[in-house]
């Protein structure tokens, strides 16, 4: 399903300071000196396209630093006047939007905790009606693509065409090295729904850890995301919020300079041929996989019929454990990761169970066979 979003290209509202597009600045505006000094260092790099800063901070628990609020907008204005950097802040209600526009903030974004709530998003969208300002929509905290899409649609329906998405990762109960799981498939899915929607990656909030920012940023560029939003603070060790994930402007540039930029399409014709040949090989293998899946499902149907006639349960846990163990071992020997093999087998198994359930429920098992069971 393609989304019907009316979008202007990124280049129409933000000037690339470098490749990749970079939005940087502190998690929170803390003091006038901290914000202005950070802005100067970022501007001096020549690679930053916009200065970000949190003015109102959505905090999980009350009593934590909830942002410097309105006064920070004045500091932001000073930072912009002195450095020439356009500014970007998070807005979470209509009042934030009004104050931000009044203070001349150039770019607004909807935070992850707001995107989850359609009432909040609609309030922001209504406040934006008739205004020509770029808006970026972070993914919701929870891995729900529809909420993300819904928020983008609400903002777009309000007439905002300078629109982008920010991929900042998703909450997950699973323990991992990341603060928020990237769940790249969701960002890819958004891209397939809205191919002309720019997606900016936020490796700071994905990792929660400055040492992993480069790794995630590279992955985002490899997936053809259009830019990066990275938290940068003049002295991260004393940052009031998100200290572990912020980097100094110097460290930021070090990260950026180590990124490899890959072109979405290859220009050189020799490379094009090579790529076409490899893609053709992949297509052939995919065809084979699908053909084999079809053969497998036909056998599953026979098993379903047999189970029905003999009144046997669909799921036999021992059998499933055996399939998994065998498959994972075989996969390992062929250099496939156990996680991948397990996921693949689970997908195939779920479809097999679905097919068998269909067969079992097609017609009741014949009575005379039941007595034999
Ligand atoms: C932020 O950008 O500082 C922030 C609060 O991010 P998120 O909404 O992604 O948690
Ligand atoms: Mn932050």
């Amino acid at each position: 399903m393609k989304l019907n979003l009316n979008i202007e290209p990124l280049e129409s509202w933000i000037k690339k300071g470098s490749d990749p597009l970079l939005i940087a600045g502190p998690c929170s505006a803390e003091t006038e000196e901290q914000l202005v000094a950070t802005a100067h260092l970022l501007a001096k790099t020549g690679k930053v396209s916009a200065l970000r800063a949190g003015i109102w901070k959505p905090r999980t628990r009350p009593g934590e630093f909830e942002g410097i609020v309105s006064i920070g907008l004045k500091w932001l204005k000073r930072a912009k006047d002195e450095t020439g950097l356009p500014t970007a802040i998070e807005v979470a209600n209509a009042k934030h939007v009004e104050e931000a526009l009044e203070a001349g903030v150039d770019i607004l974004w909807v935070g992850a905790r707001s995107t989850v709530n359609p009432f909040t998003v609609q309030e922001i969208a209504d406040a934006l009606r008739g205004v020509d300002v770029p808006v970026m929509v972070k993914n919701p905290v929870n891995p729900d693509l529809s909420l993300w899409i819904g928020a983008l649609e609400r903002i777009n329906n309000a007439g905002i065409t300078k629109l982008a998405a920010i991929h900042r990762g998703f909450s997950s109960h699973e323990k991992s090295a990341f603060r928020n799981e990237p769940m790249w498939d969701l960002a890819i899915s958004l891209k397939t729904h809205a191919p002309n929607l720019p997606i900016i990656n936020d490796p700071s909030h994905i990792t929660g850890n400055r040492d992993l920012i480069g790794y995630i940023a590279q992955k985002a560029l490899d997936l053809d995301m259009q830019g990066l939003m990275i938290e940068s603070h003049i002295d991260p060790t004393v940052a009031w919020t998100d200290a572990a994930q912020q980097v100094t402007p110097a460290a930021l540039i070090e990260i950026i300079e180590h990124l490899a930029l890959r072109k979405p399409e290859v220009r050189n014709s020799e490379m094009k041929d090579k790529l076409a040949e490899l893609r053709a090989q992949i297509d052939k293998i995919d065809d084979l996989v699908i053909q084999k899946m079809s053969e497998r499902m036909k056998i599953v149907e026979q098993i379903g019929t047999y189970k029905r006639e003999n009144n046997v349960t669909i799921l036999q846990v021992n059998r499933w454990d055996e399939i998994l163990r065998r498959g994972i071992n075989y996969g390992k020997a062929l250099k496939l990761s156990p996680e991948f093999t397990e996921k693949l087998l689970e997908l195939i198994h779920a479809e097999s169970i679905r097919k068998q359930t269909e067969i079992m429920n097609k017609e009741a098992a014949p009575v005379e066979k039941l007595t034999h069971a």
Side-chain angles (χ1 to χ4, degrees), residues 13-14 23 50 86-90 105-109 133-136:
W13 54 270
I14 195 162
I23 299 171
T87 52
I89 67 163
E90 172 177 353
V105 174
D106 300 282
I107 304 166
L108 310 179
W109 83 78
V133 68
V135 178
M136 308 186 289

Side-chain angles (χ1 to χ4, degrees), residues 303-304 306-308 310-324 349 352-353 356 360:
I303 293 182
Y306 179 85
K307 283 182 181 169
R308 187 188 71 203
N310 293 282
N311 222 27
V312 176
T313 58
I314 296 177
L315 179 70
Q316 275 117 28
V317 178
N318 291 346
R319 166 74 182 141
W320 169 231
D321 286 345
E322 172 60 16
I323 292 179
L324 255 188
H349 187 241
S352 305
I353 297 273
Q356 289 188 30
M360 291 293 229

Side-chain angles (χ1 to χ4, degrees), residues 97 101 108 125-135 158-162:
V97 173
L101 295 174
L108 310 179
D126 291 341
L128 287 166
R129 208 170 281 282
V131 181
D132 183 23
V133 68
V135 178
I160 299 294
T161 49
K162 294 173 176 137

Side-chain angles (χ1 to χ4, degrees), residues 27 52 57-58 90 109 111-113 138 168 202 205 229 231 242:
C27 176
R52 63 145 283 156
K57 300 302 296 178
E90 172 177 353
W109 83 78
R113 289 161 196 77
K138 286 204 175 196
R168 51 78 80 195
D202 173 349
H205 289 91
M229 174 147 111
E231 286 186 342
D242 289 352

